[in-house]
Amino acid sequence: MTTSPYTLSLDLNDFRQAQVIDASDYVEASLLEGEIMVRVDRLALTANSISYGFAGKAGLIRYLDIYPATMGLANLPCWGYGDIIASNHPDIAMGTRVYGFLPIATHIRMQPDKVTAGGFTDVRVCRSVVPPFYNEYAFTHAEPGYRRELEDLIMLFRPLFGTSFLMQSYCDDNSFHGASRIIVTSASAKTAMGFGYLLKKHYGGRIETVGLTSDKNRDFVISLQCYDSVLSYEEVAEIKKGEQTLIFDVAGNANVVKALHMQLGDTIPYSGSVGKTHWDVGSFGQTGALPGAKPIFWSAPDQIAVLRERMGSGAMMRQMSAAMTDLMMAAQNWMALSESQGHEAITQKIRAMLDGHIGAHEGVILRP
């Protein structure tokens, strides 16, 4: 399928609305010295992708600034794969396939630096507004265990499982703040799945895990066997108070967080906001005064910095990749993949996700 170059930009005030921006001149212009051109092949659209948009809009982390857009519009970043179709960089060859943070667009220019056998960092000025982790690209031929047929699952779970891995690492580093129970909201989200999976695998019998989800997703979440118990949001009042309990809010639903704090009060030593899968409820990370520890924004980049300082980036990624292997084997039985090709189909899929019409079991792949 031949497609004219374009970028699909979202309305900053309503992500359901999109504009197709012609990118023909952008693609046809000569590369500057040291630049490369990447043809975006496939992207994963997840709840985390949408959370990047809301976090960027709220100014928590400037995800929406790394691919500058026309005033009033935003270019949503997603994790995915692309191929280098032109190179004016002496150390990067055409035809190389890369994995990393990409816009919903057919093409993107990059300025590689810190090139190694495993990948490079895009050092364009606009990329400096986010932590370095988001600017790093891996050469697929150098990825241990890489298999092209697993790309869709890798895109869906690798960045989200990375967050799951970092959440577990944070808990371990802080001795779970003395808690013996963890409650995770939006338990059907892939970030929450991975977190529950890791907790049950490494701390089963020591740390109790409770997954909160909607009634419609409850049976699916139970089938994952990632949590010790699964409750609907309407059943928060049934959670017994007594033991120290951590809260990780993946939903970003202030009403649910309030209900948990009112129910558990001063037995909450830590309450972290991780994402916002409930996009239509309140502002990202905003809660009023509540009993227990004050809800705060949990920062994955901060934990990345801790691990890099402790073990280095390479060792961190190796540990993360090893931890993800088992999850991906299990995830093949959890997920039903769908593919949307072209800007019209992609726009419809984004709207469906924002409107809550994407099932928890569906893995959404975009093909610009």
mmCIF file of all heavy atoms in Angstrom, residues 43-88:
data_model
loop_
_atom_site.group_PDB
_atom_site.id
_atom_site.type_symbol
_atom_site.label_atom_id
_atom_site.label_comp_id
_atom_site.label_asym_id
_atom_site.label_seq_id
_atom_site.Cartn_x
_atom_site.Cartn_y
_atom_site.Cartn_z
ATOM 1 N N LEU A 43 3.007 0.634 15.112
ATOM 2 C CA LEU A 43 2.988 1.232 16.441
ATOM 3 C C LEU A 43 1.969 0.495 17.306
ATOM 4 O O LEU A 43 0.989 -0.051 16.798
ATOM 5 C CB LEU A 43 2.576 2.708 16.374
ATOM 6 C CG LEU A 43 3.381 3.643 15.468
ATOM 7 C CD1 LEU A 43 2.627 4.948 15.261
ATOM 8 C CD2 LEU A 43 4.753 3.914 16.083
ATOM 9 N N ALA A 44 2.189 0.521 18.617
ATOM 10 C CA ALA A 44 1.214 -0.034 19.551
ATOM 11 C C ALA A 44 0.449 1.118 20.197
ATOM 12 O O ALA A 44 1.054 2.050 20.739
ATOM 13 C CB ALA A 44 1.920 -0.860 20.621
ATOM 14 N N LEU A 45 -0.871 1.067 20.116
ATOM 15 C CA LEU A 45 -1.716 2.042 20.800
ATOM 16 C C LEU A 45 -2.273 1.386 22.058
ATOM 17 O O LEU A 45 -3.004 0.401 21.981
ATOM 18 C CB LEU A 45 -2.860 2.492 19.894
ATOM 19 C CG LEU A 45 -3.815 3.527 20.510
ATOM 20 C CD1 LEU A 45 -3.120 4.873 20.687
ATOM 21 C CD2 LEU A 45 -5.069 3.692 19.651
ATOM 22 N N THR A 46 -1.904 1.933 23.196
ATOM 23 C CA THR A 46 -2.323 1.366 24.477
ATOM 24 C C THR A 46 -2.867 2.478 25.377
ATOM 25 O O THR A 46 -2.780 3.668 25.049
ATOM 26 C CB THR A 46 -1.133 0.703 25.196
ATOM 27 O OG1 THR A 46 -0.175 1.720 25.541
ATOM 28 C CG2 THR A 46 -0.461 -0.349 24.313
ATOM 29 N N ALA A 47 -3.398 2.074 26.510
ATOM 30 C CA ALA A 47 -3.834 3.058 27.494
ATOM 31 C C ALA A 47 -2.668 3.945 27.901
ATOM 32 O O ALA A 47 -2.835 5.137 28.190
ATOM 33 C CB ALA A 47 -4.419 2.344 28.720
ATOM 34 N N ASN A 48 -1.471 3.364 27.914
ATOM 35 C CA ASN A 48 -0.282 4.136 28.267
ATOM 36 C C ASN A 48 -0.019 5.237 27.244
ATOM 37 O O ASN A 48 0.387 6.346 27.600
ATOM 38 C CB ASN A 48 0.924 3.203 28.360
ATOM 39 C CG ASN A 48 1.979 3.702 29.327
ATOM 40 O OD1 ASN A 48 1.654 4.212 30.391
ATOM 41 N ND2 ASN A 48 3.233 3.558 28.961
ATOM 42 N N SER A 49 -0.270 4.941 25.967
ATOM 43 C CA SER A 49 -0.094 5.949 24.920
ATOM 44 C C SER A 49 -0.971 7.164 25.208
ATOM 45 O O SER A 49 -0.528 8.317 25.112
ATOM 46 C CB SER A 49 -0.464 5.378 23.549
ATOM 47 O OG SER A 49 0.158 4.152 23.292
ATOM 48 N N ILE A 50 -2.225 6.892 25.556
ATOM 49 C CA ILE A 50 -3.148 7.986 25.852
ATOM 50 C C ILE A 50 -2.717 8.724 27.110
ATOM 51 O O ILE A 50 -2.812 9.957 27.198
ATOM 52 C CB ILE A 50 -4.578 7.451 26.010
ATOM 53 C CG1 ILE A 50 -5.001 6.649 24.775
ATOM 54 C CG2 ILE A 50 -5.546 8.588 26.268
ATOM 55 C CD1 ILE A 50 -5.043 7.436 23.483
ATOM 56 N N SER A 51 -2.199 7.973 28.090
ATOM 57 C CA SER A 51 -1.704 8.619 29.318
ATOM 58 C C SER A 51 -0.556 9.576 29.020
ATOM 59 O O SER A 51 -0.437 10.622 29.662
ATOM 60 C CB SER A 51 -1.247 7.557 30.331
ATOM 61 O OG SER A 51 -2.338 6.819 30.818
ATOM 62 N N TYR A 52 0.298 9.217 28.050
ATOM 63 C CA TYR A 52 1.367 10.138 27.652
ATOM 64 C C TYR A 52 0.759 11.475 27.210
ATOM 65 O O TYR A 52 1.277 12.548 27.526
ATOM 66 C CB TYR A 52 2.175 9.566 26.485
ATOM 67 C CG TYR A 52 3.050 8.384 26.803
ATOM 68 C CD1 TYR A 52 3.192 7.334 25.890
ATOM 69 C CD2 TYR A 52 3.754 8.310 27.996
ATOM 70 C CE1 TYR A 52 3.999 6.240 26.161
ATOM 71 C CE2 TYR A 52 4.555 7.216 28.276
ATOM 72 C CZ TYR A 52 4.677 6.183 27.357
ATOM 73 O OH TYR A 52 5.473 5.104 27.631
ATOM 74 N N GLY A 53 -0.344 11.385 26.458
ATOM 75 C CA GLY A 53 -0.981 12.597 25.982
ATOM 76 C C GLY A 53 -1.512 13.457 27.118
ATOM 77 O O GLY A 53 -1.280 14.671 27.166
ATOM 78 N N PHE A 54 -2.201 12.828 28.073
ATOM 79 C CA PHE A 54 -2.769 13.591 29.179
ATOM 80 C C PHE A 54 -1.693 14.102 30.133
ATOM 81 O O PHE A 54 -1.793 15.207 30.664
ATOM 82 C CB PHE A 54 -3.806 12.755 29.922
ATOM 83 C CG PHE A 54 -5.116 12.667 29.201
ATOM 84 C CD1 PHE A 54 -5.457 11.534 28.485
ATOM 85 C CD2 PHE A 54 -5.997 13.734 29.202
ATOM 86 C CE1 PHE A 54 -6.657 11.458 27.791
ATOM 87 C CE2 PHE A 54 -7.201 13.671 28.512
ATOM 88 C CZ PHE A 54 -7.538 12.524 27.804
ATOM 89 N N ALA A 55 -0.644 13.289 30.349
ATOM 90 C CA ALA A 55 0.457 13.754 31.195
ATOM 91 C C ALA A 55 1.176 14.926 30.547
ATOM 92 O O ALA A 55 1.568 15.889 31.216
ATOM 93 C CB ALA A 55 1.440 12.610 31.468
ATOM 94 N N GLY A 56 1.354 14.834 29.218
ATOM 95 C CA GLY A 56 1.993 15.932 28.498
ATOM 96 C C GLY A 56 1.153 17.187 28.533
ATOM 97 O O GLY A 56 1.653 18.301 28.732
ATOM 98 N N LYS A 57 -0.144 17.021 28.360
ATOM 99 C CA LYS A 57 -1.060 18.161 28.388
ATOM 100 C C LYS A 57 -1.063 18.823 29.762
ATOM 101 O O LYS A 57 -1.159 20.045 29.889
ATOM 102 C CB LYS A 57 -2.467 17.688 28.017
ATOM 103 C CG LYS A 57 -3.491 18.793 27.891
ATOM 104 C CD LYS A 57 -4.823 18.211 27.417
ATOM 105 C CE LYS A 57 -5.899 19.284 27.367
ATOM 106 N NZ LYS A 57 -7.191 18.729 26.899
ATOM 107 N N ALA A 58 -0.951 18.012 30.823
ATOM 108 C CA ALA A 58 -0.954 18.536 32.188
ATOM 109 C C ALA A 58 0.395 19.115 32.590
ATOM 110 O O ALA A 58 0.513 19.736 33.652
ATOM 111 C CB ALA A 58 -1.353 17.425 33.170
ATOM 112 N N GLY A 59 1.430 18.899 31.754
ATOM 113 C CA GLY A 59 2.749 19.437 32.066
ATOM 114 C C GLY A 59 3.554 18.599 33.035
ATOM 115 O O GLY A 59 4.594 19.051 33.538
ATOM 116 N N LEU A 60 3.108 17.352 33.315
ATOM 117 C CA LEU A 60 3.841 16.503 34.256
ATOM 118 C C LEU A 60 5.150 16.022 33.643
ATOM 119 O O LEU A 60 6.201 16.082 34.274
ATOM 120 C CB LEU A 60 2.971 15.316 34.671
ATOM 121 C CG LEU A 60 1.687 15.686 35.440
ATOM 122 C CD1 LEU A 60 0.822 14.459 35.647
ATOM 123 C CD2 LEU A 60 2.044 16.309 36.791
ATOM 124 N N ILE A 61 5.086 15.503 32.440
ATOM 125 C CA ILE A 61 6.270 15.165 31.641
ATOM 126 C C ILE A 61 5.941 15.602 30.213
ATOM 127 O O ILE A 61 4.852 15.327 29.706
ATOM 128 C CB ILE A 61 6.588 13.653 31.686
ATOM 129 C CG1 ILE A 61 6.868 13.202 33.118
ATOM 130 C CG2 ILE A 61 7.805 13.349 30.817
ATOM 131 C CD1 ILE A 61 7.184 11.724 33.259
ATOM 132 N N ARG A 62 6.859 16.241 29.543
ATOM 133 C CA ARG A 62 6.539 16.932 28.284
ATOM 134 C C ARG A 62 6.580 16.003 27.061
ATOM 135 O O ARG A 62 7.243 16.254 26.065
ATOM 136 C CB ARG A 62 7.475 18.118 28.114
ATOM 137 C CG ARG A 62 7.243 19.194 29.175
ATOM 138 C CD ARG A 62 8.307 20.273 29.149
ATOM 139 N NE ARG A 62 8.371 20.968 27.857
ATOM 140 C CZ ARG A 62 9.294 21.878 27.568
ATOM 141 N NH1 ARG A 62 10.226 22.185 28.469
ATOM 142 N NH2 ARG A 62 9.297 22.477 26.390
ATOM 143 N N TYR A 63 5.792 14.939 27.144
ATOM 144 C CA TYR A 63 5.747 13.970 26.044
ATOM 145 C C TYR A 63 5.278 14.597 24.733
ATOM 146 O O TYR A 63 5.696 14.170 23.650
ATOM 147 C CB TYR A 63 4.791 12.825 26.396
ATOM 148 C CG TYR A 63 5.216 11.957 27.546
ATOM 149 C CD1 TYR A 63 4.467 11.890 28.719
ATOM 150 C CD2 TYR A 63 6.364 11.172 27.468
ATOM 151 C CE1 TYR A 63 4.833 11.075 29.771
ATOM 152 C CE2 TYR A 63 6.749 10.355 28.517
ATOM 153 C CZ TYR A 63 5.977 10.316 29.669
ATOM 154 O OH TYR A 63 6.360 9.509 30.708
ATOM 155 N N LEU A 64 4.400 15.581 24.803
ATOM 156 C CA LEU A 64 3.831 16.153 23.592
ATOM 157 C C LEU A 64 4.734 17.179 22.930
ATOM 158 O O LEU A 64 4.392 17.718 21.873
ATOM 159 C CB LEU A 64 2.468 16.782 23.895
ATOM 160 C CG LEU A 64 1.391 15.812 24.410
ATOM 161 C CD1 LEU A 64 0.091 16.536 24.655
ATOM 162 C CD2 LEU A 64 1.193 14.661 23.415
ATOM 163 N N ASP A 65 5.873 17.457 23.532
ATOM 164 C CA ASP A 65 6.803 18.435 22.969
ATOM 165 C C ASP A 65 7.935 17.795 22.169
ATOM 166 O O ASP A 65 8.719 18.498 21.536
ATOM 167 C CB ASP A 65 7.405 19.307 24.073
ATOM 168 C CG ASP A 65 6.369 20.201 24.733
ATOM 169 O OD1 ASP A 65 5.400 20.572 24.050
ATOM 170 O OD2 ASP A 65 6.515 20.508 25.928
ATOM 171 N N ILE A 66 8.034 16.451 22.212
ATOM 172 C CA ILE A 66 9.190 15.827 21.549
ATOM 173 C C ILE A 66 9.004 15.735 20.036
ATOM 174 O O ILE A 66 9.977 15.594 19.301
ATOM 175 C CB ILE A 66 9.518 14.446 22.148
ATOM 176 C CG1 ILE A 66 8.386 13.466 21.934
ATOM 177 C CG2 ILE A 66 9.841 14.570 23.618
ATOM 178 C CD1 ILE A 66 8.720 12.069 22.429
ATOM 179 N N TYR A 67 7.754 15.788 19.584
ATOM 180 C CA TYR A 67 7.474 15.869 18.151
ATOM 181 C C TYR A 67 6.607 17.109 17.952
ATOM 182 O O TYR A 67 5.371 17.034 18.000
ATOM 183 C CB TYR A 67 6.745 14.620 17.655
ATOM 184 C CG TYR A 67 7.559 13.363 17.799
ATOM 185 C CD1 TYR A 67 7.166 12.344 18.655
ATOM 186 C CD2 TYR A 67 8.739 13.200 17.086
ATOM 187 C CE1 TYR A 67 7.924 11.191 18.795
ATOM 188 C CE2 TYR A 67 9.500 12.054 17.217
ATOM 189 C CZ TYR A 67 9.085 11.060 18.071
ATOM 190 O OH TYR A 67 9.845 9.925 18.216
ATOM 191 N N PRO A 68 7.231 18.280 17.771
ATOM 192 C CA PRO A 68 6.497 19.552 17.728
ATOM 193 C C PRO A 68 5.362 19.534 16.705
ATOM 194 O O PRO A 68 5.487 18.977 15.610
ATOM 195 C CB PRO A 68 7.578 20.566 17.349
ATOM 196 C CG PRO A 68 8.854 19.946 17.831
ATOM 197 C CD PRO A 68 8.678 18.480 17.603
ATOM 198 N N ALA A 69 4.247 20.140 17.095
ATOM 199 C CA ALA A 69 3.071 20.203 16.229
ATOM 200 C C ALA A 69 2.627 21.655 16.066
ATOM 201 O O ALA A 69 3.049 22.547 16.800
ATOM 202 C CB ALA A 69 1.929 19.378 16.835
ATOM 203 N N THR A 70 1.758 21.887 15.092
ATOM 204 C CA THR A 70 1.164 23.197 14.879
ATOM 205 C C THR A 70 0.382 23.610 16.124
ATOM 206 O O THR A 70 -0.146 22.759 16.851
ATOM 207 C CB THR A 70 0.206 23.141 13.667
ATOM 208 O OG1 THR A 70 0.932 22.673 12.534
ATOM 209 C CG2 THR A 70 -0.394 24.502 13.372
ATOM 210 N N MET A 71 0.297 24.906 16.389
ATOM 211 C CA MET A 71 -0.407 25.421 17.545
ATOM 212 C C MET A 71 -1.809 24.812 17.646
ATOM 213 O O MET A 71 -2.556 24.768 16.668
ATOM 214 C CB MET A 71 -0.518 26.946 17.454
ATOM 215 C CG MET A 71 -1.190 27.592 18.654
ATOM 216 S SD MET A 71 -0.155 27.521 20.149
ATOM 217 C CE MET A 71 1.169 28.660 19.709
ATOM 218 N N GLY A 72 -2.129 24.336 18.834
ATOM 219 C CA GLY A 72 -3.443 23.749 19.064
ATOM 220 C C GLY A 72 -3.519 22.264 18.770
ATOM 221 O O GLY A 72 -4.543 21.621 19.037
ATOM 222 N N LEU A 73 -2.434 21.709 18.221
ATOM 223 C CA LEU A 73 -2.390 20.287 17.909
ATOM 224 C C LEU A 73 -1.299 19.603 18.721
ATOM 225 O O LEU A 73 -0.439 20.266 19.308
ATOM 226 C CB LEU A 73 -2.145 20.073 16.414
ATOM 227 C CG LEU A 73 -3.180 20.651 15.453
ATOM 228 C CD1 LEU A 73 -2.751 20.418 14.005
ATOM 229 C CD2 LEU A 73 -4.562 20.045 15.705
ATOM 230 N N ALA A 74 -1.339 18.281 18.750
ATOM 231 C CA ALA A 74 -0.336 17.508 19.485
ATOM 232 C C ALA A 74 -0.023 16.232 18.719
ATOM 233 O O ALA A 74 -0.909 15.623 18.114
ATOM 234 C CB ALA A 74 -0.855 17.163 20.882
ATOM 235 N N ASN A 75 1.237 15.843 18.736
ATOM 236 C CA ASN A 75 1.665 14.589 18.117
ATOM 237 C C ASN A 75 1.917 13.561 19.215
ATOM 238 O O ASN A 75 2.857 13.682 19.994
ATOM 239 C CB ASN A 75 2.920 14.809 17.272
ATOM 240 C CG ASN A 75 2.619 15.616 16.028
ATOM 241 O OD1 ASN A 75 1.535 15.523 15.462
ATOM 242 N ND2 ASN A 75 3.579 16.428 15.595
ATOM 243 N N LEU A 76 1.042 12.583 19.260
ATOM 244 C CA LEU A 76 1.078 11.585 20.323
ATOM 245 C C LEU A 76 2.178 10.556 20.058
ATOM 246 O O LEU A 76 2.194 9.933 18.994
ATOM 247 C CB LEU A 76 -0.276 10.879 20.403
ATOM 248 C CG LEU A 76 -0.497 9.924 21.581
ATOM 249 C CD1 LEU A 76 -0.620 10.722 22.876
ATOM 250 C CD2 LEU A 76 -1.750 9.090 21.344
ATOM 251 N N PRO A 77 3.100 10.355 20.986
ATOM 252 C CA PRO A 77 4.138 9.335 20.780
ATOM 253 C C PRO A 77 3.648 7.949 21.176
ATOM 254 O O PRO A 77 2.888 7.795 22.129
ATOM 255 C CB PRO A 77 5.269 9.806 21.709
ATOM 256 C CG PRO A 77 4.557 10.521 22.821
ATOM 257 C CD PRO A 77 3.315 11.130 22.223
ATOM 258 N N CYS A 78 4.072 6.961 20.429
ATOM 259 C CA CYS A 78 3.768 5.552 20.719
ATOM 260 C C CYS A 78 5.056 4.749 20.544
ATOM 261 O O CYS A 78 5.957 5.153 19.821
ATOM 262 C CB CYS A 78 2.713 5.005 19.759
ATOM 263 S SG CYS A 78 1.116 5.837 19.797
ATOM 264 N N TRP A 79 5.120 3.600 21.170
ATOM 265 C CA TRP A 79 6.269 2.722 20.976
ATOM 266 C C TRP A 79 6.046 1.872 19.731
ATOM 267 O O TRP A 79 4.933 1.403 19.475
ATOM 268 C CB TRP A 79 6.458 1.827 22.197
ATOM 269 C CG TRP A 79 6.830 2.603 23.424
ATOM 270 C CD1 TRP A 79 5.992 3.084 24.386
ATOM 271 C CD2 TRP A 79 8.145 3.023 23.809
ATOM 272 N NE1 TRP A 79 6.704 3.771 25.347
ATOM 273 C CE2 TRP A 79 8.027 3.749 25.017
ATOM 274 C CE3 TRP A 79 9.413 2.855 23.242
ATOM 275 C CZ2 TRP A 79 9.117 4.305 25.675
ATOM 276 C CZ3 TRP A 79 10.510 3.402 23.903
ATOM 277 C CH2 TRP A 79 10.360 4.114 25.095
ATOM 278 N N GLY A 80 7.096 1.700 18.952
ATOM 279 C CA GLY A 80 6.923 0.919 17.748
ATOM 280 C C GLY A 80 8.203 0.702 16.966
ATOM 281 O O GLY A 80 9.316 0.946 17.453
ATOM 282 N N TYR A 81 8.029 0.253 15.728
ATOM 283 C CA TYR A 81 9.150 -0.111 14.859
ATOM 284 C C TYR A 81 9.141 0.727 13.582
ATOM 285 O O TYR A 81 8.086 1.112 13.068
ATOM 286 C CB TYR A 81 9.058 -1.583 14.471
ATOM 287 C CG TYR A 81 9.359 -2.538 15.597
ATOM 288 C CD1 TYR A 81 8.344 -3.019 16.409
ATOM 289 C CD2 TYR A 81 10.671 -2.954 15.855
ATOM 290 C CE1 TYR A 81 8.617 -3.896 17.459
ATOM 291 C CE2 TYR A 81 10.955 -3.829 16.891
ATOM 292 C CZ TYR A 81 9.924 -4.292 17.687
ATOM 293 O OH TYR A 81 10.206 -5.150 18.717
ATOM 294 N N GLY A 82 10.328 0.995 13.076
ATOM 295 C CA GLY A 82 10.480 1.690 11.810
ATOM 296 C C GLY A 82 11.761 1.252 11.126
ATOM 297 O O GLY A 82 12.619 0.588 11.740
ATOM 298 N N ASP A 83 11.878 1.623 9.861
ATOM 299 C CA ASP A 83 13.057 1.264 9.067
ATOM 300 C C ASP A 83 13.768 2.520 8.591
ATOM 301 O O ASP A 83 13.113 3.481 8.146
ATOM 302 C CB ASP A 83 12.635 0.420 7.864
ATOM 303 C CG ASP A 83 11.999 -0.889 8.273
ATOM 304 O OD1 ASP A 83 12.695 -1.721 8.878
ATOM 305 O OD2 ASP A 83 10.792 -1.075 8.008
ATOM 306 N N ILE A 84 15.077 2.515 8.679
ATOM 307 C CA ILE A 84 15.871 3.652 8.209
ATOM 308 C C ILE A 84 15.939 3.584 6.694
ATOM 309 O O ILE A 84 16.544 2.668 6.121
ATOM 310 C CB ILE A 84 17.277 3.628 8.832
ATOM 311 C CG1 ILE A 84 17.168 3.743 10.362
ATOM 312 C CG2 ILE A 84 18.134 4.765 8.266
ATOM 313 C CD1 ILE A 84 18.470 3.541 11.111
ATOM 314 N N ILE A 85 15.271 4.552 6.024
ATOM 315 C CA ILE A 85 15.199 4.523 4.562
ATOM 316 C C ILE A 85 16.194 5.479 3.911
ATOM 317 O O ILE A 85 16.401 5.437 2.694
ATOM 318 C CB ILE A 85 13.773 4.844 4.071
ATOM 319 C CG1 ILE A 85 13.335 6.236 4.537
ATOM 320 C CG2 ILE A 85 12.799 3.775 4.551
ATOM 321 C CD1 ILE A 85 12.046 6.711 3.892
ATOM 322 N N ALA A 86 16.796 6.351 4.712
ATOM 323 C CA ALA A 86 17.836 7.252 4.199
ATOM 324 C C ALA A 86 18.740 7.624 5.362
ATOM 325 O O ALA A 86 18.276 7.803 6.492
ATOM 326 C CB ALA A 86 17.223 8.504 3.578
ATOM 327 N N SER A 87 20.034 7.739 5.069
ATOM 328 C CA SER A 87 20.981 8.059 6.130
ATOM 329 C C SER A 87 22.081 8.974 5.618
ATOM 330 O O SER A 87 22.681 8.726 4.576
ATOM 331 C CB SER A 87 21.611 6.769 6.693
ATOM 332 O OG SER A 87 22.615 7.086 7.648
ATOM 333 N N ASN A 88 22.299 10.042 6.388
ATOM 334 C CA ASN A 88 23.431 10.925 6.144
ATOM 335 C C ASN A 88 24.339 10.915 7.368
ATOM 336 O O ASN A 88 24.927 11.918 7.728
ATOM 337 C CB ASN A 88 22.938 12.349 5.843
ATOM 338 C CG ASN A 88 24.010 13.197 5.169
ATOM 339 O OD1 ASN A 88 24.992 12.677 4.642
ATOM 340 N ND2 ASN A 88 23.847 14.505 5.199
#
